[in-house]
């Protein structure tokens, strides 16, 4: 009846956006903007749609245009969303905080501040913000998932499980929720429950290599070697270009101390990836477990040729060298690896341990002090240095470190 009726174009844009038809939504909002002077709401909505279309320059232009018409919190909120899309997380945090300074109950901004806090490792702040969102909007699925992830990170498994079970009641077949539930119940020893969740995911996603991989890992973790290997083999068949599943098969055999099967699996994988250092390291581990020291040394030295300073191969080869009574050779291996990566905490700690075994306390002390400089928040080098000071008869220095 009236092709220039802005309100109808605006409602049409809302309907398209609700159905995720973002191209059509952008066109409808553009018509609404053109046909009315009081068009701030339509500019705001078009900016949101343009971000969904990854048209960040277009969204930025809309934000600037809206900022010229009004200085309400919507401008800061849109700016925060745009900054998140562009990866400028500190500036995004400031934008969302600016929203809350004038609208303290603006839950979308509270949600994003929760997610950004989680990203920065501020777990208490993240939990407080996401919990607040869920108190206001109990069915906010994204907030629930992120809150569960925060609690999982904090090892609050029962708290994470409670949130996810409420989410599962609303979405009983949601694969992401089922997978997360397996992550929180398996550490609680609820193995049957965890495997059941993963089996439901696999039943829905029969062609998903990651789903079979996750199930295989869960089965191995609960001691079901045969079923776990079977699931991992399915994952490998579904994604033959990925090494993950086949590497986990080898690790599964190693965990079960079935070293011959581990060797055979590693040899098959080596035929396909002859120059992959991870595969060669696993082969070396399998030979070590089987007591075939010469073959293990050959494989591990091949790793160090392909990837000098490789942490795992260095440690495994040093272990083999020590078993042969060659402490000097083990020290040399760590020295070579640390030339490649002098900051590696694991290598520094292992090198210090070997130095102590060789009776070179001064070198061990130097390594541990290096580790403390490079990793000021790490506990291990401080504990090790405190032990050294105690053995050296300097308990006061040990107390200083421990305090």
């Amino acid at each position: 009846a009236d092709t220039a009726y802005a309100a109808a174009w605006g409602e049409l844009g809302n309907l398209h956006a609700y159905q995720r038809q973002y191209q059509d939504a952008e066109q409808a909002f553009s018509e609404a903007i053109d046909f009315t002077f009081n068009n701030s709401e339509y500019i705001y909505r078009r900016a949101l749609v343009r971000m969904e279309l990854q048209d960040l320059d277009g969204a930025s232009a809309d934000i600037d245009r809206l900022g010229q018409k009004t200085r309400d919190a919507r401008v800061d909120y849109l700016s925060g969303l745009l900054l998140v899309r562009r990866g400028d997380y500190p500036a995004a945090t400031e934008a969302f905080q600016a929203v809350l300074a004038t609208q303290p109950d603006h839950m979308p901004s509270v949600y994003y501040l929760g997610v950004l806090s989680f990203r920065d490792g501020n777990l208490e702040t993240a939990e407080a913000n996401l919990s607040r969102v869920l108190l206001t909007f109990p069915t906010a699925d994204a907030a629930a998932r992120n809150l569960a992830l925060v609690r999982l990170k904090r090892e609050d498994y029962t708290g994470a499980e409670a949130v996810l079970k409420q989410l599962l009641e609303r979405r009983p077949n949601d694969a992401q929720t089922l997978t997360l539930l397996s992550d929180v119940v398996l550490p609680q020893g609820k193995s049957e429950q965890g495997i059941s969740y993963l089996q439901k995911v696999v039943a829905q996603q029969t062609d998903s290599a990651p789903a079979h991989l996750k199930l295989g890992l869960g089965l191995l973790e609960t001691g079901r070697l045969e079923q776990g290997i079977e699931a991992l083999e399915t994952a490998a068949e579904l994604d033959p270009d990925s090494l993950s599943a086949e590497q986990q098969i080898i690790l599964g055999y190693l965990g079960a101390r079935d070293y011959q099967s581990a060797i055979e699996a590693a040899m098959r994988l080596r035929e396909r990836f002859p120059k992959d250092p991870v595969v060669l390291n696993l082969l070396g581990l399998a030979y070590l477990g089987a007591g075939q020291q010469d073959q293990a040394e050959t494989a591990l030295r091949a790793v160090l040729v392909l990837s000098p300073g490789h942490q795992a191969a260095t440690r495994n080869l040093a272990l083999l060298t020590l078993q042969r009574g060659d402490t000097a050779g083990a020290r040399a291996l760590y020295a070579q690896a640390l030339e490649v990566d002098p900051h590696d905490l694991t290598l520094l700690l292992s090198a210090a341990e070997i130095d102590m075994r060789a009776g070179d306390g001064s070198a061990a002390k130097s390594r541990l002090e290096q580790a403390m400089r490079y990793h000021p928040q790490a506990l291990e080098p401080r504990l090790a240095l405190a032990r050294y000071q105690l053995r050296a008869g300097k308990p006061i220095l040990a107390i200083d470190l421990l305090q």
Side-chain angles (χ1 to χ4, degrees):
D2 181 358
T3 57
Y5 188 46
W9 282 115
E11 290 303 331
L12 187 59
N14 289 337
L15 285 167
H16 283 310
Y18 183 76
Q19 297 174 85
R20 300 176 187 264
Q21 298 164 352
Y22 298 120
Q23 204 74 53
D24 292 332
E26 182 191 25
Q27 182 60 40
F29 288 133
S30 295
E31 297 284 359
I33 290 165
D34 289 343
F35 289 133
T36 181
F37 176 77
N38 187 21
N39 55 13
S40 295
E41 182 65 20
Y42 304 136
I43 295 170
Y44 169 76
R45 294 188 178 278
R46 187 174 70 177
L48 291 172
V49 164
R50 283 178 167 175
M51 279 188 253
E52 294 294 341
L53 291 169
Q54 297 301 318
D55 178 10
L56 302 189
D57 290 339
S60 180
D62 279 342
I63 294 168
D64 291 341
R65 186 173 174 182
L66 186 62
Q68 292 166 10
K69 298 173 78 70
T70 179
R71 275 310 303 166
D72 68 23
R74 289 179 300 178
V75 177
D76 289 317
Y77 176 64
L78 287 173
S79 296
L81 292 179
L82 185 63
L83 289 161
V84 166
R85 300 262 176 169
R86 287 181 167 163
D88 189 348
Y89 303 117
T93 298
E94 290 179 11
F96 293 125
Q97 287 171 339
V99 176
L100 296 182
T102 58
Q103 292 190 16
D105 294 326
H106 188 260
M107 286 300 122
S109 294
V110 175
Y111 166 76
Y112 278 105
L113 284 173
V115 173
L116 290 167
S117 297
F118 181 33
R119 183 189 174 279
D120 291 338
N122 299 323
L123 301 183
E124 288 186 16
T125 304
E127 179 158 5
N129 283 324
L130 293 167
S131 297
R132 187 179 166 202
V133 173
L134 280 176
L135 280 172
T136 308
F137 297 106
T139 59
D141 292 352
R145 283 196 196 91
N146 278 286
L147 179 58
L149 286 168
V150 170
R151 288 178 174 173
L152 180 59
K153 186 77 173 175
R154 299 185 74 179
E155 298 184 0
D156 176 10
Y157 300 120
T158 54
E161 185 180 359
V163 172
L164 290 168
K165 282 192 170 176
Q166 290 177 358
L167 184 53
L168 197 65
E169 287 177 9
R170 298 194 296 275
R171 298 180 178 274
N173 297 312
D174 183 69
Q176 191 178 1
T177 304
L178 289 165
T179 303
L180 278 173
L181 268 167
S182 75
D183 289 336
V184 300
V185 299
L186 285 172
Q188 298 178 66
K190 302 175 182 178
S191 57
E192 292 300 325
Q193 214 173 333
I195 297 301
S196 170
Y197 290 137
L198 292 172
Q199 286 170 334
K200 286 180 181 178
V201 175
V202 166
Q204 291 177 42
Q205 303 178 353
T206 54
D207 295 332
S208 168
H212 286 277
L213 175 61
K214 187 84 174 173
L215 175 60
L217 292 173
L219 289 164
L220 289 180
E221 191 179 323
T222 55
R224 305 179 197 184
L225 178 66
E226 191 174 330
Q227 291 174 281
I229 296 294
E230 185 180 341
L232 292 171
E233 285 174 344
T234 302
E237 289 170 10
L238 289 167
D239 188 3
D241 295 328
S242 172
L243 283 167
S244 298
E246 295 191 69
Q247 288 172 2
Q248 292 298 334
I249 289 171
I250 300 166
L251 289 169
Y253 284 129
L254 289 172
R257 299 188 179 185
D258 184 352
Y259 299 118
Q260 191 54 46
S261 294
I263 291 170
E264 291 168 6
M267 289 292 286
R268 287 195 300 271
L269 198 54
R270 188 187 180 187
E271 288 175 10
R272 291 171 50 209
F273 302 97
K275 294 187 176 181
D276 188 288
V278 177
V279 174
L280 281 167
N281 182 61
L282 288 172
L283 179 59
L285 267 178
Y287 279 133
L288 269 178
Q292 300 177 34
Q293 295 188 345
D294 291 341
Q295 293 93 327
E297 182 172 358
T298 300
L300 294 170
R301 290 200 181 276
V303 175
L304 295 180
V305 170
L306 291 167
S307 178
H310 190 283
Q311 185 202 92
T314 297
R315 294 179 68 202
N316 292 329
L317 190 54
L319 176 64
L320 176 57
T321 307
L322 284 171
Q323 286 175 354
R324 291 174 171 170
D326 184 3
T327 305
R331 293 182 76 186
L333 284 166
Y334 281 116
Q336 291 163 11
L338 284 166
E339 284 179 12
V340 178
D341 185 359
H343 293 184
D344 188 289
L345 178 60
T346 301
L347 289 174
L348 283 167
L349 291 171
S350 298
E353 187 180 337
I354 300 297
D355 289 336
M356 287 294 295
R357 186 179 297 199
D360 191 348
S362 176
K365 179 173 177 287
S366 176
R367 299 276 193 210
L368 294 171
E369 287 171 343
Q370 271 183 287
M372 286 168 55
R373 283 198 304 275
Y374 295 144
H375 305 276
Q377 301 302 314
L379 293 178
E380 297 93 330
R382 294 178 183 278
L383 292 168
L385 188 55
R387 282 193 291 271
Y388 167 81
Q389 299 290 17
L390 280 172
R391 292 194 194 105
K394 299 175 180 177
I396 301 302
L397 293 177
I399 287 171
D400 288 344
L401 285 161
L402 294 168
Q403 286 178 334

